[in-house]
């Protein structure tokens, strides 16, 4: 018979690192919000996000999307570093040694616990050189200007671009092809090498939907080519 003690590693059995009850620590008197390692967290109310959209539009005009994307890139680089440090330390092994299912579960719970919505990763187009991320209940999409006529989650696109660039070791670009702010049931993002994924932006302006854009990208890239 196997003893329970033999199943424990370091006298502890790792659970869900990003479980909300354990990961989020709040002090109502001081108004501080921290994670389980004591790092400060910041809550972004919808009114602040709306003000950021409006302020950037007024100050930078059409360049506001580039500004938001670059802010997301900076955020994504720091998020990746913290994610790797925290997850690797908690599970006592490098991120590269984690099973894909375990990594995806961490990402999904991390996204949800931080209040960023629901995260799904589709790797079925990997052989064509593309990753597809699906996000729903996005705070950025909810706060987007009502008169907006193009996908509004540029911050998240930048974040995903930086995160997966560091994860894969290749410089990836990200194009959002559907947005909740425009009536879609979720936000779709396509990641790939810049020269291969950039045509998606032009097809989006022509009015093509996510499925059509993804099909065109995959058709123009031979399977197995990375």
């Amino acid at each position: 018979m196997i003893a329970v003690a033999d199943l424990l590693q370091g006298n502890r059995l790792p659970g869900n690192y990003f479980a909300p009850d354990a990961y989020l620590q709040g002090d109502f008197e001081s108004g501080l919000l921290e994670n389980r390692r004591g790092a400060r967290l910041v809550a972004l109310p919808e009114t602040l996000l709306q003000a950021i959209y409006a302020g950037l539009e007024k100050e930078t005009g059409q360049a506001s999307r580039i500004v938001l994307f670059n802010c997301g890139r900076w955020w994504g680089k720091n998020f990746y570093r913290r994610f790797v440090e925290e997850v690797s330390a908690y599970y006592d092994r490098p991120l590269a040694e984690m099973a894909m299912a375990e990594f995806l579960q961490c990402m999904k719970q991390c996204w949800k616990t931080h209040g960023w919505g629901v995260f799904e990763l589709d790797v079925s187009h990997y052989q064509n050189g593309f990753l597809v991320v699906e996000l729903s209940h996005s705070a950025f999409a909810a706060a987007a200007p009502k008169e907006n006529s193009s996908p509004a989650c540029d911050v998240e696109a930048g974040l995903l671009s930086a995160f997966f660039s560091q994860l894969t070791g290749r410089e990836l670009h990200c194009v959002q092809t559907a947005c909740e702010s425009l009536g879609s049931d979720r936000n779709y993002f396509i990641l790939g090498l810049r020269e291969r994924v950039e045509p998606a932006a032009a097809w989006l302006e022509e009015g093509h939907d996510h499925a059509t854009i993804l099909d065109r990208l995959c058709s123009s890239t031979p399977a197995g080519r990375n």
Side-chain angles (χ1 to χ4, degrees):
M1 179 179 294
I2 299 176
V4 174
D6 294 334
L7 299 177
L8 301 178
Q9 298 179 1
N11 294 323
R12 108 185 142 80
L13 186 63
N16 179 5
Y17 177 71
F18 293 103
D21 292 344
Y23 187 78
L24 300 176
Q25 311 291 330
D27 186 331
F28 291 104
E29 292 186 2
S30 63
L32 293 178
L33 185 63
E34 300 176 335
N35 68 13
R36 64 194 303 165
R37 300 185 73 186
R40 297 280 183 88
L41 299 175
V42 178
L44 301 177
E46 185 176 6
T47 51
L48 175 59
L49 294 179
Q50 291 173 339
I52 289 175
Y53 276 117
L56 283 175
E57 179 65 28
K58 182 177 181 180
E59 295 295 328
T60 64
Q62 294 183 347
S64 61
R65 296 194 61 185
I66 298 176
V67 173
L68 289 169
F69 184 89
N70 288 332
C71 286
R73 289 274 302 178
W74 178 85
W75 181 16
K77 290 178 181 179
N78 288 278
F79 168 55
Y80 176 81
R81 174 180 54 80
R82 292 194 303 270
F83 183 85
V84 170
E85 289 177 355
E86 295 182 30
V87 172
S88 298
Y90 183 73
Y91 292 103
D92 196 27
R93 63 180 181 276
L95 189 68
E97 295 182 5
M98 294 181 66
M100 176 60 75
E102 192 174 19
F103 163 75
L104 288 178
Q105 187 58 39
C106 279
M107 280 293 292
K108 291 179 182 181
Q109 190 61 61
C110 174
W111 216 269
K112 185 177 181 179
T113 298
H114 280 90
W116 301 341
V118 179
F119 176 98
E120 295 288 343
L121 176 64
D122 179 3
V123 297
S124 62
H125 304 284
Y126 174 76
Q127 293 302 318
N128 293 100
F130 303 106
L131 296 173
V132 178
V133 173
E134 302 175 16
L135 303 179
S136 56
H137 305 292
S138 166
F140 292 96
K146 301 303 180 184
E147 65 276 9
N148 190 54
S149 59
S150 58
C153 303
D154 299 290
V155 172
E156 289 163 311
L159 186 159
L160 293 169
S161 172
F163 184 92
F164 281 97
S165 290
Q166 294 183 84
L167 180 67
T168 61
R170 307 190 72 175
E171 191 63 29
L172 302 181
H173 187 54
C174 181
V175 175
Q176 184 180 6
T177 54
C179 188
E180 291 173 309
S181 68
L182 300 177
S184 178
D185 62 336
R186 64 194 64 193
N187 307 290
Y188 286 94
F189 302 84
I190 302 176
L191 292 125
L193 297 178
R194 178 177 288 274
E195 64 271 19
R196 296 181 189 171
V197 79
E198 272 193 332
W203 294 332
L204 184 65
E205 291 184 0
E206 293 175 1
H208 298 290
D209 61 14
H210 166 76
T212 300
I213 292 172
L214 183 58
D215 182 62
R216 285 190 172 190
L217 288 173
C218 291
S219 298
S220 64
T221 307
R225 181 182 175 187
N226 295 310

